[in-house]
Amino acid sequence: FTEFVARARMVGEVVYEDTRMIGAYAADRDQTAQLREQLEGQQAQLRAVVRETEDRQQALQSQIAAKRDVLRAIVRERTAAEQAVRELEEDSAALEDLIQRLQPSGTGFGRRLAAFLWPLRGSVTSRFGFRIHPLFGRRDFHTGVDIAAPRGAPVHAAFEGTVIFAGWYGGYGKLVIVDHGNGLSTLYGHLSEILVTPGQHVTRTEALGLVGSTGYATGPHLHYEVRENGRPVDPQH
């Protein structure tokens, strides 16, 4: 009986130990499952963070590429603007020689600038002298005045004279030059259409052409110049 009791006690201890081990195993298994779930959740979060980081990197690279494209475009536009300003300056300087060559000798009509009329009705959007060019954003010397007017509005001669040039002239676009004698001449630029021919005598207020935006222009307007012996003077003085 003593041996039986001892064996029963031993079996009980074994069963208890097995039960304890099974419980510990179950607890470890549950804990492992929880840890696995936490790890999988953290991995999912990590993958989401990685995807978000990659998306941000791609967006940043796209922004950098776009900014580089914009910068290259700005450089090209600036280079083109500088070239255009130089061309306008060269055209203006060349006009002085052209007018001096085309103006006939003698006193001609002998009128003073004060007797000249305004070539068309409109507001002056850019005056004579230094300014920031509205198209190129560069500081340049404006050799005339810009008068805003609707496209196709008639442009009249400021005074009687003789047309010495009518045609395309660089940044001026379609241009008419009228000689008024005594070294005075007037220029009418950016026309959409020219209505006179070289050598034609025009009277004061006679239509020379129509307002346009040919050449270097931001929109329909008349570029009006007055020149004395080929050199530009302020039309408003």
Side-chain angles (χ1 to χ4, degrees), residues 52-113:
E52 183 179 357
T53 302
E54 291 175 347
D55 292 342
R56 289 183 177 179
Q57 287 178 342
Q58 291 178 355
L60 180 60
Q61 291 174 354
S62 298
Q63 291 177 0
I64 292 174
K67 289 181 178 179
R68 286 176 178 172
D69 291 340
V70 170
L71 180 59
R72 285 193 289 266
I74 290 174
V75 171
R76 289 194 299 269
E77 290 176 359
R78 181 176 179 179
T79 302
E82 291 174 347
Q83 177 64 26
V85 169
R86 285 193 296 270
E87 289 178 0
L88 283 173
E89 292 173 348
E90 292 170 357
D91 289 343
S92 178
L95 275 175
E96 182 175 342
D97 295 333
L98 176 67
I99 292 172
Q100 289 176 353
R101 285 189 286 106
L102 295 178
Q103 276 182 327
S105 58
T107 58
F109 304 100
R111 295 294 187 269
R112 296 183 304 169
L113 182 59

Side-chain angles (χ1 to χ4, degrees), residues 11 28 41 85 96 115 126 142 148 163 177 191 213 220 223:
V11 170
D28 290 343
V85 169
E96 182 175 342
S126 186
H142 196 214
V163 177
I177 304 176
L191 301 176
S213 58
H223 175 78

